[in-house]
Amino acid sequence: MPVISTPYGFNEENLYVDLRSIFGHSLFLKCEGFNFAGSIKLKAATAMVEAAERDGILTPESILVESSSGNLGVALSVIAASKGYRFLCVTDSRGNLSNRMMMEALGSKVHVLAEPRADSGFLGARLDYLRALCASDDRYVWLSQYTNPSNWKAHCRTTAPEVARQFPQLDVLFVGAGTTGTLMGCARYFREWHRPVRIIAVDSVGSVSFGGSPGPRMIPGLGMSMRPPLLDESYVDEVILVEETDTIRACHRLARRGFLFGGSTGTVISGATDWLARHDASELTAVAVGPDLGERYLDTIYQTNWLQDLYGEDVLDSDKEATHSWATATPPTTR
């Protein structure tokens, strides 16, 4: 058993769930939520902080600041508490209350924005706030997960090689697209691998990351209201957009089998199982990256009143066939 001295010194990297008995397709889920931050974001947070330390950007007087819908904020709160840094997370009203409470419990401060920008939504409002904040005081150090190359490099060094070691005959990898750090890190790694791997990006309907039409998104995690600066579509073979109702149904279907996963994981699984259903995948080795667990979604996607207020009373009707509303896009550059 590992013995650690820092909370960012452990991440369970070799846990996979075989989802065949639940969804009827051969799909292995890489579970990334078993660490002290509760999500895959601990990898990117650690890499970005350590890079800033190496570059001399972070000093004992620094105040870390970042925009986050929740999971990265929690990860940075864990690291800041361990290393003795102050941290301010700028989020918005869609974020989960449990994430805010966790950050505050770890000693971080949380600033919640209530109004989105007309042209770039809550993300634009958060970025504007951070730019003004950093201009006001040079003690503020903004890691900028949306532009920081350490974000994707973390997954090129860790997440992708972990999958490769476990599944040397991998054919298809499904990765959720938020900042696209995980997506780009995995895609870059497998582009140089010994066999071709099809990289499928899974995003939310209403996200504009891949050129889709903007729309309301109530489940934080995946999706962007601006094109991710880290994204290079030439590394992506296909994009699947998932409706939030299908995310919710996937999460509840898993919960009925004892697996409580978060909204980002539910989105990836929903997109992956639909793709497998539409392709002759019986001989394929398919893996999906599951970014988070479900405890922080108890007051949203696992709360009946919240669901019914937003999506209607029949959103969890078990007799209703889950007809997926997908949009697919093939990037212009293919392999």
Side-chain angles (χ1 to χ4, degrees):
M1 298 295 291
V3 177
I4 63 173
S5 58
T6 63
Y8 52 89
F10 170 77
N11 185 72
E12 175 52 67
E13 62 184 39
N14 294 317
L15 179 62
Y16 294 81
V17 177
D18 185 346
L19 297 177
R20 183 191 293 271
S21 65
I22 301 175
F23 292 96
H25 302 288
S26 180
L27 177 66
F28 298 95
L29 178 71
K30 188 180 195 308
C31 301
E32 286 282 351
F34 291 97
N35 56 54
F36 283 91
S39 80
I40 198 171
K41 290 292 188 178
L42 184 62
K43 291 178 172 178
T46 302
M48 290 190 295
V49 169
E50 290 180 346
E53 290 175 330
R54 288 193 302 270
D55 294 341
I57 297 171
L58 274 175
T59 70
E61 291 74 34
S62 297
I63 304 171
L64 281 169
V65 294
E66 186 55 86
S67 159
S68 172
S69 60
N71 283 337
L72 183 76
V74 172
L76 285 172
S77 295
V78 167
I79 296 170
S82 176
K83 289 177 171 284
Y85 294 119
R86 289 171 289 177
F87 173 54
L88 168 65
C89 182
V90 179
T91 187
D92 60 65
S93 55
R94 298 173 305 165
N96 294 335
L97 176 61
S98 57
N99 277 330
R100 292 181 233 165
M101 294 176 67
M102 287 188 69
M103 287 186 272
E104 291 170 346
L106 290 162
S108 299
K109 294 187 180 297
V110 182
H111 183 79
V112 182
L113 296 177
E115 295 296 329
R117 272 186 51 164
D119 58 341
S120 55
F122 277 112
L123 178 56
R126 295 193 326 231
L127 298 184
D128 283 349
Y129 184 90
L130 281 167
R131 291 187 190 101
L133 191 68
C134 291
S136 71
D137 193 328
D138 59 11
R139 292 178 302 166
Y140 290 112
V141 175
W142 181 11
L143 297 174
S144 186
Q145 63 166 322
Y146 310 104
T147 60
N148 195 321
S150 292
N151 185 347
W152 68 261
K153 288 179 181 179
H155 300 287
C156 198
R157 290 194 306 266
T158 61
T159 308
E162 290 160 8
V163 174
R165 285 193 296 270
Q166 188 74 24
F167 297 94
Q169 300 302 311
L170 180 68
D171 296 300
V172 187
L173 183 68
F174 299 93
V175 188
T179 65
T180 69
T182 307
L183 175 66
M184 288 293 96
C186 290
R188 280 182 163 88
Y189 178 88
F190 283 111
R191 174 66 64 88
E192 305 300 326
W193 208 36
H194 69 92
R195 60 182 277 123
V197 174
R198 193 166 183 83
I199 302 296
I200 310 295
V202 184
D203 201 8
S204 302
V205 169
S207 169
V208 304
S209 296
F210 296 92
S213 300
R217 291 178 290 110
M218 301 307 299
I219 301 175
L222 301 185
M224 293 273 282
S225 54
M226 56 179 277
R227 180 180 172 84
L230 297 177
L231 176 61
D232 182 342
E233 290 185 56
S234 70
Y235 286 92
V236 179
D237 294 295
E238 189 173 347
V239 179
I240 300 176
L241 302 184
V242 179
E243 294 279 4
E244 287 192 335
T245 49
D246 293 319
T247 292
I248 291 162
R249 291 178 187 126
C251 286
H252 280 259
R253 189 169 178 179
L254 287 157
R256 288 195 295 270
R257 299 294 293 272
F259 293 107
L260 196 71
F261 285 110
S264 297
T265 299
T267 302
V268 174
I269 292 172
S270 185
T273 54
D274 179 79
W275 188 93
L276 293 169
R278 293 185 285 107
H279 291 77
D280 182 11
S282 58
E283 302 299 323
L284 295 179
T285 298
V287 173
V289 178
D292 54 0
L293 301 177
E295 291 91 339
R296 297 175 196 172
Y297 295 83
L298 294 177
D299 58 347
T300 53
I301 62 177
Y302 293 107
Q303 213 283 329
T304 302
N305 290 339
W306 186 88
L307 290 177
Q308 292 182 347
D309 287 346
L310 289 175
Y311 305 103
E313 294 186 359
D314 63 346
V315 64
L316 293 179
D317 187 350
S318 60
D319 296 327
K320 180 180 179 180
E321 183 181 358
T323 54
H324 300 273
S325 299
W326 310 105
T328 60
T330 301
T333 302
T334 58
R335 284 185 265 171

